[in-house]
């Protein structure tokens, strides 16, 4: 249980896929203008990360590795992730049309979200068990959601701030704010090690 908690805290805080490993930057920057769409995207990413890990880990261990076709890992994982994103997209379109419209083009971009692919590959490469991989996926998704919500809050404040110099308005101040948020998460370095040492 301690190992699972350690894995989850690590991917939420110290090894956050967006703010530390810089994976999934496209939806992070694109969908974080409004808090509700950031929460919706974060929820969709949590679901896709969990389902992708739940499906790809057994496929790697039971099919790709025994048949010595591990070189197909990336292609197989991308196909699985794309299928899961289609499932999420159809579900949101049917049951939550406003959220579906607010996410726009960024919902299909979860397919190419390198955070999801990176998570599935890292779980295999790090030698995590199936249960550890599932909890790692949940933690990585929560970390993605946390980064999205915090950044959406920052961006909403930036939109109403009149003191921003003209040369920094728009994308420049957004990137500066993202870098400050990423640096603030560096403060968690060593916390997980200290707790579980």
């Amino acid at each position: 249980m301690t190992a699972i908690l350690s894995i989850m805290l690590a991917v939420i805080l110290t090894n956050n896929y967006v703010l530390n490993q810089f994976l999934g930057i496209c939806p992070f920057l694109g969908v974080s203008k409004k808090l509700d769409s950031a929460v919706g995207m974060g929820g969709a990413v949590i679901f896709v990360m969990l389902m992708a890990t739940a499906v790809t880990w057994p496929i790697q261990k039971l099919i790709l590795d025994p048949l010595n076709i591990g070189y197909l890992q990336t292609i197989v994982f991308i196909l699985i992730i794309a299928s899961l994103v289609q499932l999420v997209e159809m579900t949101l379109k049917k049951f939550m049309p406003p959220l579906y419209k607010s996410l726009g083009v960024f919902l299909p971009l979860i397919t190419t979200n390198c955070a999801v692919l990176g998570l599935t590959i890292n779980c295999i490469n790090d030698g995590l068990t199936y249960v550890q991989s599932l909890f790692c996926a949940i933690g990585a998704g929560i970390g993605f959601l946390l980064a999205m919500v915090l950044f959406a809050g920052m961006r909403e404040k930036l939109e109403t701030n009149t003191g921003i110099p003209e040369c920094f308005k728009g994308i420049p101040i957004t990137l500066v704010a993202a870098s400050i948020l990423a640096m603030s998460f560096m403060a968690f370095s060593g916390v997980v090690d200290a707790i579980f040492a």
Side-chain angles (χ1 to χ4, degrees), residues 39-101:
V39 169
M41 176 60 86
V45 168
I46 290 172
F47 176 77
V48 171
M49 281 184 165
L50 181 61
M51 295 308 296
T53 303
V55 174
T56 56
W57 195 95
I59 286 176
Q60 178 74 36
K61 297 295 183 181
L62 301 175
I63 298 172
L64 298 180
D65 287 348
L67 296 175
N68 291 323
I69 53 174
Y71 56 88
L72 294 175
Q73 179 189 58
T74 304
I75 295 168
V76 170
F77 285 14
I78 287 173
L79 289 173
I80 291 168
I81 293 166
S83 302
L84 292 169
V85 170
Q86 281 299 110
L87 176 68
V88 169
E89 191 171 359
M90 290 186 302
T91 305
L92 287 179
K93 189 174 185 179
K94 175 86 173 159
F95 298 109
M96 299 178 204
L99 179 59
Y100 174 77
K101 287 180 183 173

Side-chain angles (χ1 to χ4, degrees), residues 1-192:
M1 188 63 178
T2 304
I4 289 173
L5 189 58
S6 172
I7 289 168
M8 285 188 71
L9 281 176
V11 294
I12 292 171
L13 299 174
T14 58
N15 294 328
N16 188 294
Y17 273 80
V18 177
L19 300 174
N20 185 288
Q21 299 184 33
F22 304 109
L23 298 173
I25 296 296
C26 179
F28 175 70
L29 293 174
V31 187
S32 59
K33 288 185 180 178
K34 293 190 172 142
L35 187 59
D36 57 340
S37 38
V39 169
M41 176 60 86
V45 168
I46 290 172
F47 176 77
V48 171
M49 281 184 165
L50 181 61
M51 295 308 296
T53 303
V55 174
T56 56
W57 195 95
I59 286 176
Q60 178 74 36
K61 297 295 183 181
L62 301 175
I63 298 172
L64 298 180
D65 287 348
L67 296 175
N68 291 323
I69 53 174
Y71 56 88
L72 294 175
Q73 179 189 58
T74 304
I75 295 168
V76 170
F77 285 14
I78 287 173
L79 289 173
I80 291 168
I81 293 166
S83 302
L84 292 169
V85 170
Q86 281 299 110
L87 176 68
V88 169
E89 191 171 359
M90 290 186 302
T91 305
L92 287 179
K93 189 174 185 179
K94 175 86 173 159
F95 298 109
M96 299 178 204
L99 179 59
Y100 174 77
K101 287 180 183 173
S102 71
L103 293 176
V105 71
F106 293 100
L107 186 57
L109 283 177
I110 296 176
T111 302
T112 57
N113 187 343
C114 51
V116 179
L117 181 62
L119 168 74
T120 57
I121 292 174
N122 283 344
C123 285
I124 302 292
N125 291 344
D126 293 344
L128 300 179
T129 66
Y130 186 66
V131 173
Q132 288 175 335
S133 296
L134 292 179
F135 279 99
C136 183
I138 293 169
I142 292 170
F144 187 89
L145 174 66
L146 178 65
M148 291 285 290
V149 168
L150 290 173
F151 195 53
M154 290 174 72
R155 287 188 75 175
E156 285 182 355
K157 291 287 186 190
L158 287 173
E159 292 294 321
T160 60
N161 191 334
T162 57
I164 299 171
E166 194 64 37
C167 62
F168 277 104
K169 287 186 179 174
I171 298 295
I173 195 67
T174 301
L175 295 176
V176 168
S179 65
I180 291 171
L181 182 61
M183 285 190 298
S184 69
F185 267 66
M186 289 174 61
F188 294 113
S189 296
V191 169
V192 174

